[in-house]
Amino acid sequence: MRVIGAARDDPATRVDALVAAIGPKVGPPVICRRDVVLVTGPWLAGVSSVVAALRQRAPQHDFVEAPQLAPGDAPTAVVFVVSAAAPLTESDCALLDAAAEHTDAVIGVASKVDVHRGWREVLAADRATLAAHAPRYAEVPWVGAAAAPQLGQPRMDDLVAALLSQLADPDIARRNRLRAWESRLQTVAQRFRRDAEGAGRKARVDALREERSAALRQRRQSRTEHVIALRGQVQQARVHLSYFARNHCSSMRVELQEDIAALPRRKIPEFEQHARGRVAAVLAEVGEAVHRRLADVAQALSMPIGLPAGETLPTVAIPAPPLKSRRLETRLTVVLGAGFGVGVALTLSRLLAGLALRLNPWLNPWLTGAGIIACVALGLALTLWVVHTRALLSDRAVLDRWTGDVMSALRSVLDELVAGRVLAAESLLNTALSARDEAEHARVAHQVSVIDAELREHTIAAARAAAVRDRELPAIQVALDAVRKELGEPGMPTVGARSAEPAATAPPAQRQQQQQQRQM
Ligand SMILES: Nc1nc2c(ncn2[C@@H]2O[C@H](COP(=O)(O)OP(=O)(O)OP(=O)(O)O)[C@@H](O)[C@H]2O)c(=O)[nH]1
Ligand SMILES: [Mg+2]
């Protein structure tokens, strides 16, 4: 029973009971209170020297440096050593926050006062800075010390006196436990607040929203781009192939005209076959070019539409050239040719008769007879030549006209071929584009639905965290207020704003008064 009574009188147990009575759903601080004094401070502040000196001056107490404390160990008091060379910085304050997280008893030391003459000003500045950093430090006693002086004797009396006085305070265990509870309650409250505010969650939600709108934007853009690309490619192919076909027609026409101009009479019957062969060749060439170009378009658009390789080519309806039906023209030519031949023969025979009369009258009858025969032969030959030449020229003219007709027929067939095949390919490409669009739409819809699901989860998690915060925080705040009141820090702002709090205003007199009340 005595043990139970002693445990009930234990300051830590009393503090635990005080907090438990308020009822926050927070477990007790998970710390191991050690009966040691932690001496800590920034780099090269003189910590080790102070530890050595304190061990000499107060051998009844244990002094340790930060590395000698295990995680979770809490010292009974903290001696915070800073060099008197320069005032305290924010990072030094943060160092003290970590060291004195579960310990209320803190002593500030401005070290190396033997060499820094202005140490008192630095000490005052340190005191002000620390008090401004957090209200709990407003009453921290500050002393000057020289543990390993270069000049004169060590100066440790003030520090030893202040430390022994703190350690001798019967209330130190209770205050340290209260401080541990304050730290614990603040940490838990901050965790609830952080969970509810969810900075990480917010960033993730923003990123998800951005990803969502980017996916939808990209989908819209890619659809428009594909439609424009398809139209452009098809138009280009149409223009190019029409030009190609017309060009081929024109060059073939010129070629055939040249052939006709040099065509001898005996080759006239073969010309029709030759022209038909050329037409078939041009038709095949244009068909091949159309196929190739449309395959290129499909490849450029990355849409394999499977154009049939050997499509049947259309036929060009070509009538035979009208070479035979010209009997009247032949008769006329024969008459004209005969007239021309007779005229030439008569003229020449008269010329020869006159010539023979002048040369030798004895030979006249013979010469005249021979001349007549020669002139008749010549007239006949001329008649035949005229008839033949006229017939050849007429045939060539007929073939030339016929070639023109063939070309027009071929051109219209080629126009139809190009237009029809481009139209068919465009329709296939549009179908392929729609299919691809559909697949893309399904992919983006799936991506968006995954994002939406995650966004919903985040919204639910945020609402849940806010509900937990609203449910748990009031009790924690009440417990924290009670702990702070016990520590003599009434009127503190709400939890989670420790570093932003104004300088402490709890007067030392008030704290003394509270201590006296408790001791009574
Ligand atoms: N003048 C003068 N120098 C001191 C005093 N105390 C320590 N020093 C010098 O300050 C330097 C650092 O001293 P330490 O005691 O090793 O300081 P520390 O904070 O333990 O240093 P670290 O552990 O390296 O961060 C040494 O060169 C000491 O000689 C002092 O009281 N007066
Ligand atoms: Mg050291």
PDB file of all heavy atoms in Angstrom, residues 43-49 112 114-115 146-150, ligand 1:
ATOM      1  N   TRP A  43      28.261  24.161 -32.852  1.00  0.00           N
ATOM      2  CA  TRP A  43      29.619  23.682 -33.165  1.00  0.00           C
ATOM      3  C   TRP A  43      30.677  24.611 -32.571  1.00  0.00           C
ATOM      4  O   TRP A  43      30.566  25.846 -32.692  1.00  0.00           O
ATOM      5  CB  TRP A  43      29.720  23.651 -34.688  1.00  0.00           C
ATOM      6  CG  TRP A  43      30.937  23.015 -35.235  1.00  0.00           C
ATOM      7  CD1 TRP A  43      31.394  21.773 -34.969  1.00  0.00           C
ATOM      8  CD2 TRP A  43      31.845  23.600 -36.165  1.00  0.00           C
ATOM      9  NE1 TRP A  43      32.539  21.518 -35.664  1.00  0.00           N
ATOM     10  CE2 TRP A  43      32.836  22.636 -36.419  1.00  0.00           C
ATOM     11  CE3 TRP A  43      31.936  24.829 -36.804  1.00  0.00           C
ATOM     12  CZ2 TRP A  43      33.902  22.866 -37.283  1.00  0.00           C
ATOM     13  CZ3 TRP A  43      32.983  25.066 -37.675  1.00  0.00           C
ATOM     14  CH2 TRP A  43      33.957  24.084 -37.903  1.00  0.00           C
ATOM     15  N   LEU A  44      31.633  24.005 -31.883  1.00  0.00           N
ATOM     16  CA  LEU A  44      32.784  24.732 -31.307  1.00  0.00           C
ATOM     17  C   LEU A  44      32.385  25.797 -30.277  1.00  0.00           C
ATOM     18  O   LEU A  44      33.100  26.773 -30.079  1.00  0.00           O
ATOM     19  CB  LEU A  44      33.611  25.413 -32.412  1.00  0.00           C
ATOM     20  CG  LEU A  44      34.510  24.491 -33.235  1.00  0.00           C
ATOM     21  CD1 LEU A  44      35.239  25.285 -34.311  1.00  0.00           C
ATOM     22  CD2 LEU A  44      35.501  23.749 -32.366  1.00  0.00           C
ATOM     23  N   ALA A  45      31.224  25.611 -29.655  1.00  0.00           N
ATOM     24  CA  ALA A  45      30.775  26.612 -28.678  1.00  0.00           C
ATOM     25  C   ALA A  45      31.536  26.477 -27.363  1.00  0.00           C
ATOM     26  O   ALA A  45      31.515  27.392 -26.527  1.00  0.00           O
ATOM     27  CB  ALA A  45      29.276  26.452 -28.432  1.00  0.00           C
ATOM     28  N   GLY A  46      32.173  25.311 -27.155  1.00  0.00           N
ATOM     29  CA  GLY A  46      32.874  25.076 -25.892  1.00  0.00           C
ATOM     30  C   GLY A  46      32.136  24.085 -25.016  1.00  0.00           C
ATOM     31  O   GLY A  46      32.337  24.053 -23.797  1.00  0.00           O
ATOM     32  N   VAL A  47      31.323  23.233 -25.622  1.00  0.00           N
ATOM     33  CA  VAL A  47      30.501  22.282 -24.886  1.00  0.00           C
ATOM     34  C   VAL A  47      31.371  21.299 -24.089  1.00  0.00           C
ATOM     35  O   VAL A  47      31.184  21.108 -22.875  1.00  0.00           O
ATOM     36  CB  VAL A  47      29.569  21.522 -25.864  1.00  0.00           C
ATOM     37  CG1 VAL A  47      28.872  20.375 -25.165  1.00  0.00           C
ATOM     38  CG2 VAL A  47      28.555  22.462 -26.468  1.00  0.00           C
ATOM     39  N   SER A  48      32.319  20.687 -24.791  1.00  0.00           N
ATOM     40  CA  SER A  48      33.149  19.672 -24.121  1.00  0.00           C
ATOM     41  C   SER A  48      33.908  20.275 -22.955  1.00  0.00           C
ATOM     42  O   SER A  48      34.048  19.644 -21.891  1.00  0.00           O
ATOM     43  CB  SER A  48      34.132  19.060 -25.125  1.00  0.00           C
ATOM     44  OG  SER A  48      33.404  18.450 -26.159  1.00  0.00           O
ATOM     45  N   SER A  49      34.375  21.492 -23.130  1.00  0.00           N
ATOM     46  CA  SER A  49      35.106  22.151 -22.037  1.00  0.00           C
ATOM     47  C   SER A  49      34.182  22.378 -20.849  1.00  0.00           C
ATOM     48  O   SER A  49      34.566  22.152 -19.690  1.00  0.00           O
ATOM     49  CB  SER A  49      35.670  23.496 -22.515  1.00  0.00           C
ATOM     50  OG  SER A  49      36.448  23.293 -23.650  1.00  0.00           O
ATOM     51  N   LYS A 112      33.324  31.297 -23.135  1.00  0.00           N
ATOM     52  CA  LYS A 112      34.565  31.985 -23.564  1.00  0.00           C
ATOM     53  C   LYS A 112      34.528  33.475 -23.204  1.00  0.00           C
ATOM     54  O   LYS A 112      34.944  34.329 -23.996  1.00  0.00           O
ATOM     55  CB  LYS A 112      34.797  31.808 -25.070  1.00  0.00           C
ATOM     56  CG  LYS A 112      34.738  30.344 -25.516  1.00  0.00           C
ATOM     57  CD  LYS A 112      35.035  30.206 -26.975  1.00  0.00           C
ATOM     58  CE  LYS A 112      34.735  28.821 -27.478  1.00  0.00           C
ATOM     59  NZ  LYS A 112      34.958  28.637 -28.896  1.00  0.00           N
ATOM     60  N   ASP A 114      36.252  34.918 -21.192  1.00  0.00           N
ATOM     61  CA  ASP A 114      37.591  35.442 -20.889  1.00  0.00           C
ATOM     62  C   ASP A 114      38.158  36.242 -22.061  1.00  0.00           C
ATOM     63  O   ASP A 114      38.917  37.182 -21.868  1.00  0.00           O
ATOM     64  CB  ASP A 114      38.532  34.284 -20.527  1.00  0.00           C
ATOM     65  CG  ASP A 114      38.576  33.241 -21.626  1.00  0.00           C
ATOM     66  OD1 ASP A 114      37.494  32.872 -22.138  1.00  0.00           O
ATOM     67  OD2 ASP A 114      39.680  32.800 -21.998  1.00  0.00           O
ATOM     68  N   VAL A 115      37.806  35.869 -23.270  1.00  0.00           N
ATOM     69  CA  VAL A 115      38.381  36.573 -24.422  1.00  0.00           C
ATOM     70  C   VAL A 115      37.386  37.524 -25.104  1.00  0.00           C
ATOM     71  O   VAL A 115      37.798  38.337 -25.925  1.00  0.00           O
ATOM     72  CB  VAL A 115      38.929  35.580 -25.477  1.00  0.00           C
ATOM     73  CG1 VAL A 115      40.222  34.962 -25.028  1.00  0.00           C
ATOM     74  CG2 VAL A 115      37.900  34.521 -25.821  1.00  0.00           C
ATOM     75  N   ALA A 146      33.676  30.613 -18.489  1.00  0.00           N
ATOM     76  CA  ALA A 146      34.921  30.367 -19.216  1.00  0.00           C
ATOM     77  C   ALA A 146      35.460  29.053 -18.676  1.00  0.00           C
ATOM     78  O   ALA A 146      36.066  29.021 -17.601  1.00  0.00           O
ATOM     79  CB  ALA A 146      35.902  31.509 -19.001  1.00  0.00           C
ATOM     80  N   ALA A 147      35.185  27.962 -19.387  1.00  0.00           N
ATOM     81  CA  ALA A 147      35.545  26.630 -18.881  1.00  0.00           C
ATOM     82  C   ALA A 147      37.014  26.318 -19.143  1.00  0.00           C
ATOM     83  O   ALA A 147      37.671  25.656 -18.340  1.00  0.00           O
ATOM     84  CB  ALA A 147      34.652  25.584 -19.534  1.00  0.00           C
ATOM     85  N   ALA A 148      37.520  26.762 -20.292  1.00  0.00           N
ATOM     86  CA  ALA A 148      38.934  26.504 -20.613  1.00  0.00           C
ATOM     87  C   ALA A 148      39.545  27.816 -21.100  1.00  0.00           C
ATOM     88  O   ALA A 148      39.817  27.983 -22.285  1.00  0.00           O
ATOM     89  CB  ALA A 148      39.036  25.418 -21.677  1.00  0.00           C
ATOM     90  N   PRO A 149      39.719  28.766 -20.182  1.00  0.00           N
ATOM     91  CA  PRO A 149      40.118  30.114 -20.608  1.00  0.00           C
ATOM     92  C   PRO A 149      41.557  30.171 -21.110  1.00  0.00           C
ATOM     93  O   PRO A 149      42.412  29.425 -20.634  1.00  0.00           O
ATOM     94  CB  PRO A 149      39.943  30.934 -19.327  1.00  0.00           C
ATOM     95  CG  PRO A 149      40.113  29.954 -18.227  1.00  0.00           C
ATOM     96  CD  PRO A 149      39.616  28.651 -18.715  1.00  0.00           C
ATOM     97  N   GLN A 150      41.755  31.064 -22.042  1.00  0.00           N
ATOM     98  CA  GLN A 150      43.128  31.352 -22.484  1.00  0.00           C
ATOM     99  C   GLN A 150      43.752  32.369 -21.530  1.00  0.00           C
ATOM    100  O   GLN A 150      44.956  32.412 -21.345  1.00  0.00           O
ATOM    101  CB  GLN A 150      43.100  31.932 -23.904  1.00  0.00           C
ATOM    102  CG  GLN A 150      42.784  30.896 -24.956  1.00  0.00           C
ATOM    103  CD  GLN A 150      42.586  31.531 -26.330  1.00  0.00           C
ATOM    104  OE1 GLN A 150      42.734  32.748 -26.482  1.00  0.00           O
ATOM    105  NE2 GLN A 150      42.244  30.710 -27.290  1.00  0.00           N
TER     106      GLN A 150
HETATM  107  N1  LIG B   1      39.198  31.323 -24.796  1.00  0.00           N
HETATM  108  C1  LIG B   1      38.472  30.268 -24.513  1.00  0.00           C
HETATM  109  N2  LIG B   1      38.437  29.237 -25.395  1.00  0.00           N
HETATM  110  C2  LIG B   1      37.706  28.165 -25.061  1.00  0.00           C
HETATM  111  C3  LIG B   1      36.943  28.103 -23.896  1.00  0.00           C
HETATM  112  N3  LIG B   1      36.262  26.922 -23.889  1.00  0.00           N
HETATM  113  C4  LIG B   1      36.623  26.285 -25.013  1.00  0.00           C
HETATM  114  N4  LIG B   1      37.487  27.012 -25.736  1.00  0.00           N
HETATM  115  C5  LIG B   1      38.078  26.688 -27.009  1.00  0.00           C
HETATM  116  O1  LIG B   1      37.059  26.508 -27.976  1.00  0.00           O
HETATM  117  C6  LIG B   1      37.369  25.442 -28.849  1.00  0.00           C
HETATM  118  C7  LIG B   1      36.260  24.448 -28.786  1.00  0.00           C
HETATM  119  O2  LIG B   1      36.153  23.897 -27.508  1.00  0.00           O
HETATM  120  P1  LIG B   1      35.335  22.559 -27.209  1.00  0.00           P
HETATM  121  O3  LIG B   1      35.164  22.465 -25.753  1.00  0.00           O
HETATM  122  O4  LIG B   1      35.960  21.421 -27.899  1.00  0.00           O
HETATM  123  O5  LIG B   1      33.998  22.940 -27.882  1.00  0.00           O
HETATM  124  P2  LIG B   1      32.885  21.942 -28.434  1.00  0.00           P
HETATM  125  O6  LIG B   1      31.637  22.716 -28.497  1.00  0.00           O
HETATM  126  O7  LIG B   1      32.866  20.700 -27.653  1.00  0.00           O
HETATM  127  O8  LIG B   1      33.417  21.671 -29.879  1.00  0.00           O
HETATM  128  P3  LIG B   1      32.907  20.566 -30.829  1.00  0.00           P
HETATM  129  O9  LIG B   1      32.561  19.352 -30.044  1.00  0.00           O
HETATM  130  O10 LIG B   1      34.042  20.351 -31.796  1.00  0.00           O
HETATM  131  O11 LIG B   1      31.732  21.166 -31.506  1.00  0.00           O
HETATM  132  C8  LIG B   1      38.674  24.859 -28.342  1.00  0.00           C
HETATM  133  O12 LIG B   1      39.716  25.390 -29.119  1.00  0.00           O
HETATM  134  C9  LIG B   1      38.787  25.361 -26.935  1.00  0.00           C
HETATM  135  O13 LIG B   1      40.127  25.577 -26.551  1.00  0.00           O
HETATM  136  C10 LIG B   1      36.989  29.226 -23.012  1.00  0.00           C
HETATM  137  O14 LIG B   1      36.350  29.256 -21.981  1.00  0.00           O
HETATM  138  N5  LIG B   1      37.761  30.262 -23.353  1.00  0.00           N
END
